[in-house]
Amino acid sequence: MLRRRDVAASPARRADEAWAVIVQLIADTLDRSAVIERADVLNSFTAAGTIGPRLVAARHLEKSPVVLVADPVHLSIYTVSGVEAISIEENLGPVPGGSCASTWTVHLPTPEPLNADITAALADSDHLTTETPPSAALKSTASAELLDLDALGRRLSQDRS
């Protein structure tokens, strides 16, 4: 399930508060799983405790999201700053599909000049990574393979006759 969430940052929230909202959104989504423990999710984010707010404060998450991949969930989380942050209607509820997840990875962007700090902070993490997340196009392609487009075309042709 491809989803997007926008989180209000400055001036609506300080950078550390916006980061905490992002972490809670991920934890709330994964907390519905019978396999994934909320405490494990929260503990995993301690590695990003100092870099997350830096990503928010420097406005990097406005263009490059934090991405949760926990099949079937594929969630991109962006921040919004400035005037838009004051008027945004946030949807911070758990993302549907989290109850089916059994594994999870959060992909963080690595913009310069934070690249080295982020890579070092996440080096020992099992769930947080600097790797490029699988693209939404890959998930769409996989879904399209489940549908026989030729058979659908033939069926539509028969219906028109």
Side-chain angles (χ1 to χ4, degrees), residues 10-111:
S10 178
R13 290 188 183 95
R14 293 186 327 247
D16 61 325
E17 293 170 337
W19 181 251
V21 169
I22 291 169
V23 172
Q24 288 303 313
L25 174 58
I26 293 170
D28 290 349
T29 297
L30 296 175
D31 190 38
R32 297 179 178 266
S33 170
V35 178
I36 301 169
E37 295 292 327
R38 181 182 189 85
D40 292 339
V41 174
L42 295 174
N43 287 337
S44 292
F45 276 95
T46 58
T50 58
I51 58 170
R54 290 171 62 192
L55 284 167
V56 174
R59 300 177 79 165
H60 293 296
L61 298 182
E62 291 180 22
K63 294 185 176 115
S64 300
V66 169
V67 178
L68 167 64
V69 178
D71 196 35
V73 175
H74 188 124
L75 172 65
S76 297
I77 305 171
Y78 292 85
T79 57
V80 177
S81 300
V83 174
E84 291 177 1
I86 296 170
S87 61
I88 187 175
E89 289 188 37
E90 297 175 305
N91 178 358
L92 301 177
V95 175
S99 61
C100 298
S102 59
T103 62
W104 62 281
T105 305
V106 173
H107 301 263
L108 275 70
T110 54

Side-chain angles (χ1 to χ4, degrees), residues 121-146:
L122 304 184
D124 296 328
S125 178
D126 293 333
H127 296 287
L128 305 181
T129 183
T130 58
E131 294 176 8
T132 303
S135 72
L138 289 177
K139 286 197 162 283
S140 297
T141 301
S143 297
E145 290 174 0
L146 296 175

Side-chain angles (χ1 to χ4, degrees), residues 138-158:
L138 289 177
K139 286 197 162 283
S140 297
T141 301
S143 297
E145 290 174 0
L146 296 175
L147 181 62
D148 185 345
L149 296 176
D150 291 332
L152 181 59
R154 287 190 303 272
R155 175 65 184 201
L156 290 172
S157 295
Q158 289 172 354

